[in-house]
Amino acid sequence: MMRFGMQNRLMASVKSGVHFGDAMNVRTISYKSRMGHFNRQMLTKGKVLSKKKLSSTAGAGKIFSSFQLWYSHQLDVRPIFTKCASAGIVAGFGNLLAQRLMWDTDGKGQFVIDWKQTGRFVVINIIFVAPCLHHWYNWLSAAMPGKSIAPVLKRVFVDEFIFTPVYVPAFMGLLWSFEGNKFEDIPHMIREEWLNIMIFDWCVYIPVQFFNFRYNPVKYQVLVMNLVGVGWSCFISWRAQRQNDKNTSIERGEDEGE
C-alpha cells in the first residue's frame, strides 16, 4: 500500500509538472504573440510617420518649386518691379539684423527697433540699388558676354574697380542725406569711410561676383547681391552709424565751445 501511494504521488507530481510545462509554453506563446503584435504596431506607426515626413518634405519641395517658377516668371514679365520689391524686403531684413547685432549691451536698456533707419534702407534699395544694378548687370552681360573665365574676369574687374568705386559713394551719400546730415559734411564723411568700405567690398564681392557672373543667369544676379547684401547692410549700417556718432560728438564740441 505504501509503495502504491508513493507511485500515485510520483505520478501526480509528474502530471503536475507536465501541466506546469504546458502552462509555461502557453504563456511563452502568448508573450511572443503579444510582442509580435506590438512590433507590427510599431513598424506600422514607423511607416506612417515616415510617409508623413516624406509627404511634408515633398509638400515643402512643391511649394518652393512653385514659388521659384512664379518668381522666375515675375522676373521675366516685371523685371524692375520684382527686383525692387525683392531688394526692399531683403534690405529691410538686413537692417533689422544689423540693428540687433550692433545693439550696445552697456546698460542702455531694452532693444528698440529704429524703424526710420530700416525705412531708409528699404527706400534706398527700391529707388536706387535695384534699378541701378538691374541696368548695370544687363549692360555688362551684353558688353562682355560669355561664361568662360576670361569674360567673367573682365566683368568682375570692371564691376569692382570701375563701377563700385563710384557706386559706393553715391549709395553712402544718399544714405547720409536721408539721415539728415548736412550736405557740406557728406563729402568729408565719404572720404573718411571710402577706403574702409572698398577694402571690405573687394574682400567679399570679388569672389561673390565671380560666382555670380559665371554661374548665375543675369535675371537672378541682383537677387544674389541682395542676399549677400544682408551682411553688407550690417557693415554699412555700422560704418554709417560710426560716422553719425563722430559728427554728433563734433557738433556737441562746437556748441560747447560757443
Side-chain angles (χ1 to χ4, degrees):
M1 291 294 292
M2 184 178 296
R3 184 181 298 172
F4 182 74
M6 290 179 66
Q7 288 178 350
N8 287 339
R9 285 194 297 272
L10 181 61
M11 291 297 294
S13 62
V14 170
K15 288 181 181 180
S16 63
V18 171
H19 292 315
F20 178 77
D22 292 340
M24 288 299 294
N25 289 334
V26 170
R27 289 180 182 178
T28 302
I29 293 170
S30 177
Y31 173 76
K32 289 181 178 180
S33 176
R34 287 198 299 271
M35 287 301 295
H37 179 67
F38 175 76
N39 289 335
R40 285 193 296 273
Q41 283 184 328
M42 292 302 294
L43 184 62
T44 303
K45 288 181 179 179
K47 289 181 179 179
V48 171
L49 290 174
S50 298
K51 288 181 179 179
K52 287 182 178 179
K53 289 181 179 178
L54 288 173
S55 62
S56 62
T57 303
K62 287 181 180 179
I63 293 173
F64 177 78
S65 178
S66 300
F67 175 78
Q68 187 180 19
L69 290 173
W70 174 83
Y71 186 77
S72 177
H73 176 69
Q74 295 302 312
L75 287 173
D76 292 331
V77 297
R78 302 179 186 89
I80 295 180
F81 176 83
T82 304
K83 291 174 185 179
C84 288
S86 303
I89 293 170
V90 175
F93 173 76
N95 180 259
L96 291 174
L97 179 62
Q99 289 186 44
R100 190 66 187 91
L101 293 175
M102 293 189 306
W103 177 250
D104 293 330
T105 56
D106 56 358
K108 286 188 176 181
Q110 187 177 0
F111 170 67
V112 179
I113 296 174
D114 185 351
W115 290 109
K116 290 183 179 180
Q117 183 187 122
T118 303
R120 286 192 292 268
F121 270 86
V122 171
V123 170
I124 291 172
N125 273 269
I126 290 174
I127 68 172
F128 174 71
V129 173
C132 182
L133 295 183
H134 166 76
H135 292 294
W136 170 247
Y137 291 154
N138 283 346
W139 178 86
L140 201 61
S141 178
M144 304 172 190
K147 294 291 185 179
S148 59
I149 298 294
V152 168
L153 289 177
K154 287 180 183 178
R155 291 203 296 274
V156 172
F157 178 83
V158 172
D159 180 71
E160 288 300 314
F161 295 99
I162 296 177
F163 172 76
T164 303
V166 179
Y167 167 81
V168 166
F171 177 88
M172 297 304 298
L174 192 59
L175 176 62
W176 282 323
S177 298
F178 277 30
E179 289 177 345
N181 290 281
K182 296 178 181 178
F183 181 77
E184 57 270 20
D185 293 335
I186 291 176
H188 173 71
M189 296 166 69
I190 291 174
R191 282 194 300 270
E192 279 202 347
E193 294 297 331
W194 182 84
L195 183 60
N196 292 321
I197 293 174
M198 290 308 305
I199 290 173
F200 180 82
D201 178 276
W202 289 328
C203 291
V204 173
Y205 281 105
I206 287 177
V208 168
Q209 290 292 57
F210 179 83
F211 172 84
N212 202 17
F213 293 154
R214 182 168 170 80
Y215 300 107
N216 208 21
V218 178
K219 67 179 181 179
Y220 291 115
Q221 288 175 2
V222 175
L223 178 62
V224 170
M225 295 298 288
N226 294 151
L227 294 175
V228 178
V230 172
W232 170 254
S233 295
C234 294
F235 179 76
I236 291 295
S237 299
W238 172 61
R239 300 304 300 189
Q241 188 60 46
R242 182 175 176 274
Q243 270 298 328
N244 288 335
D245 293 342
K246 188 182 294 186
N247 281 355
T248 302
S249 63
I250 291 172
E251 290 175 1
R252 286 177 181 173
E254 291 176 352
D255 293 339
E256 290 175 359
E258 294 175 358

